[in-house]
């Protein structure tokens, strides 16, 4: 029993249970916020779609339609989530429970601790006790220090991306030391796969930092092992070439979406935000909410000991990583940020430079391990091995206690329902109409419509479609309410008052306390339309000027940006008229089937967000899927009876998936194929 308890992996398991047993038994959970309103909702969207037999590429419960798979925080291609989904399906769950996300998050802490221990054991070259106590200390310091126990679990994509960093470094460490060509090929494949796991975990900025450190560490280790530059560069090219292929199923749609999102227009000043210089006090003082630089008292002392006493290039490397990351985490407060902004690939895409504290924390944990290893080595050289083992155990135990007392209360609340019953929603819940949307004027929880089973105009996803933001800001609100099928308004106002001070006909159906204060619910008299035919178009560069024109009727005219593929097909700015009827046959996220009857050619406008990747057919023949009125989806239909099918099938996903599968096949061959080994020295 004593041997079991003192085994490093057993000890890491016990420490993990100490920190998270209350989460595991359902006694506590993580607080509301991004954890519940973003990541939990996204898990539920994906799981419900998969359980119903649909690939969750599109979501219709916020932003009037959203390319779900293209948002990296959907984590749709992250394999550990597939395991969770499979287990829930086997157990018969129809929805994704919050407890499953809690288990997933806590389990990643165990992964972090194990991977970090394994890496530090290789880095320090101390595979046996008492030498194994040094990597054990470093593992505990990083896993339960101020950074990872702060907001990363609330934004689970950050934690799950970071979890793979130490394993990546371990594989790269072994690659630089391996003299066998065939083994190097396998390690290259494993490096690419592990980096891909970090990428699919869903936080691109954190992944970028992981990639930076991985490249720097590999170059450093190659130099230590006297590898020529050609060897180093060819291996890096192979690793990141395979990584590019493996990740393309997510990378290609993600790159397209980011280019069409509000993130594409962020300025240098907006991107340069970071810590103030006063953050350095957190090396010594922990804050109950946010202590990204705190690693514990003894680990900090040991890190300083390593810097002062250990004459190894590896200590200088990790000190350099810590200092550079700390300075960069200050953002635009130092000139180094400007240099990184212009020189480092991908660096200018992300704001929130304080997330670089992750590399500071990891470096300090590594230096702390070096410090303890130096003390153990020095003490053991004096023939006092038993005493140094006892002291080392005390240091590890004190660090566990220090971090437990200062960090466990950070993200700890009594279990709760993020979307509890609220009586003001009763009229909406009772509505049996097949289609309508709700608008919330900052009264409800984030992504409340997804949580309660509705569809809404807004949403809290941090990466918002630029078209949505533009339409929300510039289209007349009364017109927007019509074309998105808004039937219910949840607001603080006395009446369904638009920002243009118009008062469309509506009736108050509920009032009471909402999560963000007193609220009133109004039901609009105008019935929502899922789709409607129009018989004339207006082609103009200034779409919003046309939409704001007095008397403009979106149910009679569609505004199209030039060049219009409808040229000559419908009257442009004239008096096109016709009669028509639309019936919805099938409607689920990413797919819509309708029958349309018109007495003349028309443009069928659908109350769904236009986005590249929609494919349309009319009577079984391919038809163009167009943008109308700056935001909506539209399809031209001929006179007579037509059957219209609309499916979201993005070519970026298809191409990316094909390349990713081919890359995975290459990696598999490199791992399993073992020809006669040859020396590479």
């Amino acid at each position: 029993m004593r041997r079991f308890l003192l085994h490093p992996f057993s000890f890491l398991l016990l420490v993990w249970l100490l920190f998270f047993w209350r989460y595991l038994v359902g006694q506590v959970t993580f607080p509301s916020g991004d954890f519940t309103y973003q990541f939990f909702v996204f898990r539920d969207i994906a799981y419900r779609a998969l359980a119903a037999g649909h690939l969750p590429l599109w979501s219709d419960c916020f932003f009037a339609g959203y390319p779900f798979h293209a948002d990296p925080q959907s984590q749709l291609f992250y394999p550990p989530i597939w395991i969770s989904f499979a287990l829930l399906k086997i157990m018969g769950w129809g929805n994704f429970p919050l407890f499953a996300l809690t288990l997933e998050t806590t389990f990643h802490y165990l992964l972090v601790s194990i991977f970090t221990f394994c890496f530090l054991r290789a880095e320090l070259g101390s595979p046996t006790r008492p030498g194994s106590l040094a990597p054990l200390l470093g593992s505990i310091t990083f896993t339960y220090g101020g950074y990872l126990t702060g907001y990363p679990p609330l934004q689970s994509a950050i934690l799950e991306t970071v979890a793979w960093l130490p394993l990546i470094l371990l594989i790269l460490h072994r690659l630089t030391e391996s003299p066998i060509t065939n083994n190097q090929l396998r390690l290259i494949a494993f490096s690419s796969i592990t980096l891909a796991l970090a990428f699919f975990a869903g936080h691109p900025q954190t992944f970028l930092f992981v990639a930076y450190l991985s490249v720097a560490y590999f170059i450093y280790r190659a130099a230590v092992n006297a590898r020529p530059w050609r060897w180093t560069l060819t291996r890096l090219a192979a690793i990141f070439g395979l990584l590019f292929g493996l990740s393309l199923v997510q990378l290609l749609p993600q790159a397209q979406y980011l280019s069409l999102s509000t993130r594409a227009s962020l300025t240098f000043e907006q991107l340069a935000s970071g810590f103030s210089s006063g953050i350095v006090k957190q090396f010594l003082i922990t804050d109950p909410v946010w202590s990204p630089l705190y690693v514990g008292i003894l680990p900090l002392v040991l890190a300083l000991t390593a810097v002062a006493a250990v004459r190894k290039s590896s200590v200088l490397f990790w000190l350099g990583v810590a200092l550079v990351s700390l300075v960069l985490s200050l953002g635009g407060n130092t000139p180094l940020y400007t240099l990184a902004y212009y020189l480092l690939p991908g660096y200018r895409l992300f704001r929130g430079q304080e997330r670089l504290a992750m590399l500071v924390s990891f470096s300090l944990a590594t230096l702390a391990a070096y410090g303890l290893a130096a003390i153990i080595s020095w003490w053991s050289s004096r023939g006092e091995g038993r005493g140094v083992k006892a002291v080392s155990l005390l240091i590890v135990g004190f660090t566990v206690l220090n971090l437990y007392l200062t960090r466990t209360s950070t993200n700890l609340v009594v279990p709760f329902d993020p979307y509890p019953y609220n009586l003001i929603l009763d009229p909406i819940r009772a509505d049996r109409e097949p289609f309508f949307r709700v608008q919330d004027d900052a009264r409800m929880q984030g992504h409340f419509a997804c949580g309660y089973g509705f569809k809404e105009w807004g949403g809290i996803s941090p990466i918002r479609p630029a078209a949505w933001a533009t339409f929300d800001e510039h289209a007349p609100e009364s017109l927007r309410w019509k074309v998105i099928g808004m039937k219910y308004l949840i607001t603080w106002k006395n009446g369904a008052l638009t920002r243009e001070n118009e008062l469309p006909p509506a009736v108050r159906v509920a009032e009471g306390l909402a999560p963000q204060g007193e609220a009133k619910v109004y039901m609009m008299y105008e019935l929502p339309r899922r789709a409607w035919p129009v018989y004339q178009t207006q082609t103009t560069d200034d779409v919003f000027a046309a939409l704001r024109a007095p008397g403009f009727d979106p149910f009679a005219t569609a505004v199209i940006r030039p060049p219009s593929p409808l040229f000559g097909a419908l009257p442009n700015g004239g008096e096109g008229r016709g009669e028509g009827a639309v019936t919805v046959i099938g409607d689920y996220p990413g797919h819509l089937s309708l029958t349309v009857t018109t007495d003349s050619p028309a443009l069928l406008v659908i109350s769904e967000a236009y986005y590249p990747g929609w494919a349309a057919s009319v009577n079984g023949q391919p038809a163009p899927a167009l943008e109308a009125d700056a935001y909506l989806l539209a399809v031209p239909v001929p006179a007579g009876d037509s059957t219209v099918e609309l499916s979201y099938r993005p070519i970026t996903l298809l191409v990316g998936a094909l390349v990713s599968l081919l890359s995975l096949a290459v990696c598999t061959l490199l791992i399993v194929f073992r020809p006669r080994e040859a020396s590479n020295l």
Side-chain angles (χ1 to χ4, degrees):
M1 183 65 177
R2 183 169 175 265
R3 179 176 294 182
F4 170 80
L5 294 176
L6 292 179
H7 190 280
F9 294 119
S10 302
F11 190 81
L12 289 174
L13 177 62
L14 291 174
V15 172
W16 176 68
L17 291 172
L18 173 67
F19 275 80
F20 291 110
W21 70 269
R22 287 172 292 180
Y23 294 88
L24 299 175
V25 300
Q27 189 180 100
V28 300
T29 189
F30 296 98
S32 62
D34 289 342
F35 183 78
T36 49
Y37 303 141
Q38 178 77 12
F39 292 96
F40 166 61
V41 166
F42 274 21
R43 291 288 191 284
D44 192 52
I45 290 172
Y47 179 72
R48 287 177 184 269
L50 289 169
H54 310 308
L55 195 60
L57 304 180
W58 188 261
S59 172
D60 64 356
C61 63
F62 60 101
F63 292 151
Y66 188 71
F68 180 74
H69 73 107
D71 188 330
Q73 294 190 358
S74 71
Q75 301 176 280
L76 185 58
F77 300 103
Y78 185 49
I81 294 178
W82 305 346
I83 298 173
S84 175
F85 286 172
L87 292 174
L88 289 171
K89 182 65 175 176
I90 291 171
M91 292 187 294
W93 281 86
N95 64 294
F96 187 86
L98 182 59
F99 184 63
L101 182 58
T102 302
L103 290 178
E104 175 192 320
T105 303
T106 56
F107 178 72
H108 275 78
Y109 278 97
L110 183 60
L111 287 182
V112 172
S113 66
I114 293 173
F115 292 160
T116 304
F117 172 80
C118 293
F119 165 69
L120 291 177
R121 187 169 58 176
E123 173 76 2
L124 273 63
S126 53
T128 58
R129 297 188 300 270
S132 61
L133 291 173
L136 193 65
L137 172 79
S139 171
I140 291 167
T141 299
F142 179 59
T143 306
Y144 304 106
Y147 183 81
L148 279 189
T149 57
Y151 77 89
L154 306 184
Q155 296 189 1
S156 61
I158 296 179
L159 173 66
E160 293 173 2
T161 302
V162 173
W164 300 99
L165 170 62
L167 181 58
I168 293 166
L169 297 180
L170 173 62
I171 297 171
L172 294 176
H173 183 281
R174 291 181 175 174
L175 175 58
T176 58
E177 295 190 336
S178 175
I180 306 301
T181 301
N182 297 332
N183 192 47
Q184 288 179 18
L185 293 176
R186 286 193 288 274
L187 290 171
I188 287 171
F190 280 125
S191 300
S192 301
I193 291 171
T194 313
L195 278 162
L197 286 170
F199 176 77
F200 289 133
H203 200 266
Q205 183 183 31
T206 300
F207 171 77
L208 192 68
F209 297 155
V210 168
Y212 288 159
L213 179 57
S214 300
V215 171
Y217 183 74
F218 183 75
I219 293 173
Y220 161 71
R221 290 301 309 177
V224 167
N225 288 280
R227 299 290 191 181
W229 275 104
R230 182 177 179 182
W231 184 95
T232 304
L233 294 177
T234 54
R235 270 65 178 175
L236 278 177
I239 290 169
F240 282 89
L242 285 171
L243 168 64
F244 178 79
L246 288 169
S247 62
L248 210 62
V249 65
Q250 175 67 56
L251 180 61
L252 206 56
Q254 176 180 309
Q256 180 186 44
Y257 178 59
L258 288 174
S259 70
L260 298 173
S261 75
T262 52
R263 293 293 180 91
S265 59
L266 292 178
T267 65
F268 178 90
E269 289 72 21
Q270 290 172 315
L271 293 168
S273 63
F275 289 136
S276 65
S277 57
I279 193 67
V280 294
K281 68 182 181 182
Q282 289 197 358
F283 284 120
L284 298 172
I285 303 172
T286 182
D287 183 275
V289 177
W290 175 228
S291 301
L293 301 180
Y294 187 78
V295 294
I297 302 301
L298 283 182
L300 182 61
V301 172
L302 290 168
L304 295 175
T305 301
V307 172
V310 179
R311 299 293 181 261
K312 288 186 177 180
S313 61
S314 52
V315 170
L316 293 178
F317 173 82
W318 289 109
L319 176 62
V321 172
L323 292 176
V324 171
S325 301
L326 178 62
V327 174
L328 285 175
S329 72
L330 301 177
N333 295 316
T334 70
L336 188 60
Y337 173 78
T338 303
L339 195 64
Y341 179 87
Y342 287 107
L343 294 182
L344 292 180
Y347 197 80
R348 63 174 62 191
L349 297 176
F350 305 104
R351 60 186 179 184
Q353 306 309 321
E354 64 273 3
R355 294 189 178 107
L356 274 158
M358 178 266 291
L359 297 186
V360 180
S361 179
F362 188 81
S363 300
L364 289 177
T366 303
L367 290 172
Y370 268 107
L372 182 57
I375 293 173
I376 292 172
S377 177
W378 174 79
W379 206 330
S380 298
S381 67
R382 301 180 62 185
E384 301 180 18
R386 181 169 297 180
V388 70
K389 181 178 179 181
V391 171
S392 300
L393 283 171
L394 284 174
I395 291 174
V396 172
F398 179 83
T399 299
V400 171
L401 182 63
N402 175 209
L403 295 176
Y404 179 80
L405 293 177
T406 57
R407 302 308 309 155
T408 52
S409 62
T410 301
N411 295 314
L412 188 149
V413 297
V414 175
F416 63 98
D417 183 354
Y419 297 101
Y421 168 76
N422 192 316
L423 64 86
I424 68 170
L425 300 178
D426 282 351
I428 308 176
R429 191 179 292 109
D431 196 317
R432 293 293 176 259
E433 288 294 326
F435 169 76
F436 62 84
R437 288 196 174 95
V438 183
Q439 177 171 307
D440 167 44
D441 288 350
R443 300 287 90 187
M444 300 299 297
Q445 312 98 309
H447 285 147
F448 83 99
C450 303
Y452 288 109
F454 308 141
K455 297 179 176 67
E456 68 170 310
W457 167 246
I460 64 164
S461 182
I463 309 176
R464 300 186 174 196
W468 176 89
T470 303
F471 193 78
D472 183 70
E473 179 180 358
H474 295 290
E477 196 163 29
S478 58
L479 178 142
R480 171 162 54 80
W481 290 354
K482 292 179 180 179
V483 299
I484 69 166
M486 200 274 282
K487 187 174 183 180
Y488 294 95
L489 173 66
I490 305 174
T491 184
W492 49 270
K493 301 175 185 177
N494 290 314
L497 187 66
T498 72
R499 61 177 174 231
E500 293 85 14
N501 289 321
E502 297 178 1
L503 197 62
V507 59
R508 184 187 301 181
V509 293
E511 61 180 307
L513 186 64
Q516 304 301 323
E518 290 292 332
K520 306 173 183 66
V521 181
Y522 293 91
M523 183 180 70
M524 314 303 293
Y525 282 135
E526 186 163 357
L527 293 178
R529 307 189 195 190
R530 187 66 170 115
W532 58 93
V534 298
Y535 298 92
Q536 66 178 14
T537 61
Q538 183 176 346
T539 305
T540 176
D541 286 311
D542 195 346
V543 176
F544 292 105
L547 297 179
R548 290 192 297 266
F552 177 80
D553 183 0
F555 300 131
T557 304
V559 183
I560 309 293
R561 303 180 199 269
S564 172
L566 293 175
F567 183 76
L570 296 175
N572 192 347
E575 294 295 328
R577 290 190 176 89
E579 297 289 337
V582 178
T583 302
V584 177
I585 301 173
D587 189 358
Y588 61 84
H591 182 81
L592 190 64
S593 301
L594 314 101
T595 58
V596 185
T597 301
T598 63
D599 58 4
S600 60
L603 182 68
L604 181 67
V605 181
I606 299 98
S607 182
E608 192 77 18
Y610 169 82
Y611 187 82
W614 277 102
S617 68
V618 177
N619 296 326
Q621 299 300 312
L626 310 175
E627 177 196 84
D629 298 337
Y631 196 71
L632 304 177
L633 188 59
V635 180
V637 294
D641 296 330
S642 300
T643 299
V644 178
E645 297 278 346
L646 283 153
S647 296
Y648 180 65
R649 298 197 301 266
I651 189 66
T652 54
L653 178 68
L654 297 176
V655 172
L658 178 61
V659 175
S660 293
L661 288 173
L662 290 174
S663 300
L664 183 60
V666 171
C667 287
T668 303
L669 286 174
L670 292 177
I671 292 170
V672 302
F673 184 60
R674 300 190 178 188
R676 184 173 60 88
E677 294 186 340
S679 173
N680 192 46
L681 291 178

